[in-house]
Amino acid sequence: MADVQAHSGSVPSDGIKQPYHLVDPSPWPLLSAFAGGLLATGLVLQFHGHGWYLLAAGLLAVLGCMWGWWRDVLKESVVQKAHSPVVKIGLRYGMSLFIASEVMFFAAFFWAFFDASLFTNEAIQYTRVEATGGTWPPKGITPFNPFDLPFLMTVILLLSGTTVTWAHHEIIEGRQKQAVTALAITVALGVLFTGFQLYEYSHATFAFNTNVYSSTFFMATGFHGLHVFIGTVFLAVCLFRAMKGHFTPKSHFGFEAAAWYWHFVDVVWLFLFVAIYWWGAGGKWVAH
């Protein structure tokens, strides 16, 4: 008993010091869930011609939650110094699992595309005959030349992957000014890619065709385009933080997470370019 009392007496009165971080109660998870639901509902209603007001409200709600939640996380990291090495390990696991879940999304879209393109006769059983015509691409579809605008978009995205790696190197070396420059170029390339994709969509001759090719093409490439937009916002936040001097050679996981996400977007686009733009167009296009 004396040993127990002696041991208990050795414990500091303010509690055992430990490297973990217990997050303060936060309203943002619940508010973000409601904001996401509002955005999705507004999007569905807008598609059915019921106006865009609810969609705009949902978008503003999501942006507000993003701002508030990120502000609190930055406070934990920069002001409170709560992100210890052990906490950062957990953050890395969390980001890795998030990207793995994103891989499953795209696996489903690629599965749908390959199923429809490789088994066109079976697809006819579930869609109108004229939707595929038993061929791929379906009759009446004029696909994009992959070595035209899609190839330029590929070059832009791969170049952005090199600039984000450049930014990472500069942060590790402690050169903040060069890191800011590299991040600014990466964000600009992300915006440029999105602009070209919108231009491509506006010139898609099969945009209003009711067939499986159009559905799978726009679902896969459009979902990727959404990820490019999200990644660009992610990197823009990192650019703002780099300008504020938040990143140090030993503490910059916020940027690392953005870089992981951006490289994931790069890799997915390479699969999209080869599978959907080139092979999915019949493989008849050649570089010129």
Side-chain angles (χ1 to χ4, degrees), residues 257-275:
W260 292 359
Y261 189 85
W262 196 251
H263 288 310
F264 162 72
V265 169
D266 284 348
V267 173
V268 171
W269 177 257
L270 291 178
F271 281 99
L272 286 171
F273 177 80
V274 173

Side-chain angles (χ1 to χ4, degrees), residues 3-13:
D3 291 340
V4 173
Q5 291 176 347
H7 178 72
S8 62
S10 65
V11 178
S13 59

Side-chain angles (χ1 to χ4, degrees), residues 203-215:
H203 288 76
T205 58
F206 52 86
F208 299 102
N209 291 48
T210 56
N211 57 64
V212 68
Y213 179 88
S214 300
S215 299

Side-chain angles (χ1 to χ4, degrees), residues 57-116:
L59 181 61
L60 290 175
V62 169
L63 292 175
C65 290
M66 289 169 60
W67 182 86
W69 204 341
W70 282 349
R71 178 202 60 190
D72 289 353
V73 173
L74 293 183
K75 181 180 178 181
E76 292 174 359
S77 173
V78 179
V79 180
Q80 299 176 353
K81 307 293 183 182
H83 292 176
S84 66
V86 174
V87 172
K88 290 177 182 178
I89 291 175
L91 294 175
R92 283 180 167 82
Y93 277 125
M95 191 65 191
S96 299
L97 291 173
F98 170 71
I99 292 177
S101 70
E102 294 288 284
V103 170
M104 295 300 102
F105 265 121
F106 283 100
F109 299 146
F110 279 108
W111 187 306
F113 184 84
F114 282 120
D115 180 71

